[in-house]
Amino acid sequence: MGLFEAAGSRVIESPAGTAKLDRAPERSEKGGHRSAERRLVQVALAVDAVGALVPVGVLCAVTGQPQPWLTALLACLSWLAVGTSKNRYTRDEPGGGAAVMPVVWDWLTMLGVLAVVCVGARVEVGLKVCVVALLPCLALSVARRKLVHRYLLAMRRRAQALRRVLVVGEAGAVDLVLAELAHGTDHAYVVVGSCIVGEGATESALPVPARLASDGAAPEGALDGETVLRCAAELDADLVFVAPGRQLSAARVRRLAWALHDGGRNLAILPGLIDVSQHRVRLAKAAGLTVMHIDPAARRGLPVLLKQATDRLGALLLLVLLAPVFAAVAAAIRLTTAGPVFYWQIRVGRDLMPFRMWKFRTMVVTADRMRAALESANEHDGAMFKMRRDPRVTRVGRLLRRFSLDELPQLFNVLAGHMSLVGPRPPLPEEVERYDGTEVRRLSVKPGLTGLWQVSGRSDLSWDETVALDLSYVDNWSYAGDIGVLMRTVRAVVDGRGAY
């Protein structure tokens, strides 16, 4: 999610509309985050070392490979070296996420490094034996990454293993940071106070131990570092977020960074980007300037072709494998209600192109004519119409919706190219008529059979949350992200949360 992907400081809105702390860690817990990070880094090193050393040594010895334990040692060192070069064992990496593809790329890189090392050390080992022996290493690293991520999420939701943050910037910038951070609790940051630049008023109820003079009042910014260090010490903040602005110039931030680093405090710069994935950000240097390039969302090239091939082949394969399920669902609908088995609606696809979307019928035949009389009972904000107890849904239809079986005929839409396996929810034409310029961007890609909306709560989400998820998908799409959504879909279908 880019700059604010860790969004969600433990701040909530008070009745008056100002932000305040929610379950902020006690000062006696200072250092708890660092000790937890050190333990997790040690666990990562141990798991990766054992995962490479033991399987390679045992399998090479069993298969009669020469110098089995030397090969195992080289594999272990190669794996740890690749991890170190990719910063996998730094303090921030354990909470970096549960993505699988970075570990896979590391593993493939390690195979190449090990091949070169074995040639240089004149160690002979069978390629197939070595690759098979290193598969447990990959599996253990993926499992460790996911377990650590879940463990940290659980701790953070209990207000543990958090980093105490002091925010420095103009009043408006500080309020923006707090608003973005208040969207979630799945990160390591808890804002404990702010240091405002200038005399502007902030809406936050957080402590403001001191203020910095405006840039014009203090052209050299000589006291900035001393003031911020004093505030950080008073609030036990080990990290300082700086939001540059008109009164906080680049030269002033540079001097502040010197002072913070000399004083043993860490610094993070907030450039003002929202919901930009890390894979779209590139840093460059130009005449002393740090230039941040933001790559456009992927719309062509090999990853897009791979997505298209996955859509068509995946839909075809699923249609074949799920043919008995189609037959069973069709029989259940036919035997319990009057009317057709399938139901179609006009939906709006990519670039506002309408298409006919197919579903198993879950409502009575007259459902569309009953819609107008139920508008006042709509339980969803925004453009969508949703009711938890919609009287138009049949008994079998409720079961089909609970496990998303009614969506299966959309595989024909995927096969025809109207939809993708993963994408935003396909909207109705009347919903699109109410879209503003931001919401219509959801339709710059094909709608999906599943997507971030479906795996994040579905109808339980507000309209703003739905739009935010879809825009995040559109702007930050990646093939690996699609694979992750497909894997999460299985759990979402079993869970059934928000399916009505």
Side-chain angles (χ1 to χ4, degrees):
M1 292 175 59
L3 168 64
F4 297 125
E5 67 181 339
S9 172
R10 278 39 178 197
V11 291
I12 59 176
E13 290 300 315
S14 68
T18 57
K20 62 180 180 181
L21 288 177
D22 175 24
R23 298 189 306 163
E26 298 293 334
R27 295 193 183 188
S28 59
E29 295 180 8
K30 182 180 179 181
H33 176 77
R34 294 183 180 180
S35 61
E37 286 175 337
R38 284 194 295 269
R39 289 195 301 270
L40 292 175
V41 169
Q42 292 167 359
V43 168
L45 284 166
V47 169
D48 287 356
V50 172
L53 184 67
V54 175
V56 174
V58 171
L59 189 57
C60 287
V62 169
T63 57
Q65 301 292 317
Q67 301 175 296
W69 292 107
L70 177 58
T71 303
L73 179 61
L74 294 176
C76 175
L77 294 176
S78 297
W79 185 224
L80 296 181
V82 169
T84 301
S85 68
K86 299 293 184 66
N87 297 319
R88 304 302 184 207
Y89 308 120
T90 59
R91 288 179 51 198
D92 295 327
E93 177 61 20
V100 174
M101 290 308 297
V103 184
V104 174
W105 288 119
D106 290 355
W107 187 78
L108 294 173
T109 303
M110 182 264 292
L111 291 180
V113 171
L114 181 59
V116 173
V117 171
C118 286
V119 171
R122 298 184 178 181
V123 175
E124 297 182 4
V125 60
L127 177 61
K128 293 183 179 179
V129 172
C130 192
V131 171
V132 170
L134 285 169
L135 287 176
C137 165
L138 174 61
L140 281 173
S141 295
V142 170
R144 182 260 303 169
R145 188 178 177 92
K146 287 184 173 293
L147 289 174
V148 167
H149 182 66
R150 292 183 181 180
Y151 169 74
L152 283 175
L153 285 182
M155 291 189 68
R156 289 166 182 171
R157 285 164 183 161
R158 296 194 303 267
Q160 298 174 356
L162 302 175
R163 303 189 69 171
R164 300 175 65 89
V165 175
L166 173 70
V167 182
V168 178
E170 297 174 35
V174 170
D175 288 337
L176 175 62
V177 171
L178 293 179
E180 292 298 327
L181 290 177
H183 288 163
T185 57
D186 58 349
H187 58 86
Y189 305 126
V190 53
V191 179
V192 294
S194 59
C195 192
I196 305 298
V197 181
E199 300 301 323
T202 175
E203 297 178 358
S204 169
L206 290 170
V208 183
R211 290 177 176 266
L212 301 182
S214 64
D215 199 31
E220 298 300 325
L223 300 179
D224 288 352
E226 179 182 338
T227 302
V228 173
L229 282 171
R230 186 175 68 252
C231 292
E234 179 179 338
L235 298 171
D236 285 342
D238 64 341
L239 177 63
V240 176
F241 279 179
V242 175
R246 183 176 58 84
Q247 300 183 72
L248 199 57
S249 63
R252 197 173 180 186
V253 171
R254 185 188 190 191
R255 290 191 295 270
L256 178 58
W258 291 341
L260 290 173
H261 291 155
D262 291 344
R265 305 286 174 175
N266 292 320
L267 170 70
I269 302 294
L270 308 180
L273 297 176
I274 297 177
D275 204 13
V276 176
S277 181
Q278 291 181 1
H279 75 267
R280 295 175 56 205
V281 178
R282 293 181 294 109
L283 295 180
K285 294 289 292 184
L289 295 174
T290 299
V291 182
M292 180 179 294
H293 294 268
I294 309 298
D295 293 334
R299 294 291 183 268
R300 59 179 63 88
L302 182 59
V304 176
L305 293 176
L306 189 58
K307 176 182 174 68
Q308 294 173 353
T310 302
D311 286 340
R312 301 297 176 89
L313 293 177
L316 182 61
L317 179 61
L318 287 173
L319 285 170
V320 173
L321 293 177
L322 296 176
V325 178
F326 273 75
V329 171
I333 296 173
R334 176 68 70 181
L335 292 174
T336 57
T337 62
V341 169
F342 295 100
Y343 169 79
W344 61 266
Q345 275 183 323
I346 296 297
R347 297 291 180 111
V348 180
R350 183 176 61 185
D351 298 330
L352 299 176
M353 293 296 296
F355 68 97
R356 181 177 293 187
M357 189 187 79
W358 292 91
K359 301 177 68 174
F360 281 121
R361 185 173 59 84
T362 60
M363 293 185 173
V364 297
V365 177
T366 58
D368 287 339
R369 294 196 296 272
M370 299 168 61
R371 165 75 181 271
L374 297 172
E375 283 290 346
S376 60
N378 185 12
E379 298 177 17
H380 202 282
D381 62 336
M384 286 193 294
F385 177 87
K386 289 289 181 180
M387 291 179 62
R388 291 182 182 274
R389 295 294 178 184
D390 195 323
R392 301 173 298 168
V393 180
T394 65
R395 184 178 304 175
V396 171
R398 295 192 188 282
L399 182 63
L400 297 180
R401 290 186 171 207
R402 169 64 176 75
F403 295 104
S404 300
L405 295 176
D406 60 316
E407 311 285 352
L408 291 181
Q410 293 172 34
L411 289 169
F412 291 108
N413 291 114
V414 176
L415 195 61
H418 303 137
M419 296 176 61
S420 175
L421 289 177
V422 181
R425 172 186 169 274
L428 292 163
E430 55 265 32
E431 295 174 0
V432 176
E433 290 176 358
R434 300 167 59 184
Y435 282 4
D436 58 24
T438 299
E439 293 163 346
V440 78
R441 184 169 172 79
R442 302 170 65 240
L443 303 176
S444 59
V445 299
K446 290 182 181 179
L449 177 64
T450 184
L452 290 178
W453 180 77
Q454 289 87 337
V455 301
S456 302
R458 289 185 273 191
S459 300
D460 285 345
L461 300 176
S462 68
W463 175 245
D464 288 340
E465 290 171 326
T466 299
V467 172
L469 286 172
D470 285 344
L471 291 179
S472 178
Y473 177 84
V474 169
D475 290 340
N476 301 309
W477 175 84
S478 69
Y479 184 77
D482 272 10
I483 300 301
V485 170
L486 289 173
M487 295 174 65
R488 292 169 59 189
T489 298
V490 177
R491 183 176 63 184
V493 168
V494 174
D495 179 72
R497 182 168 60 93
Y500 54 86

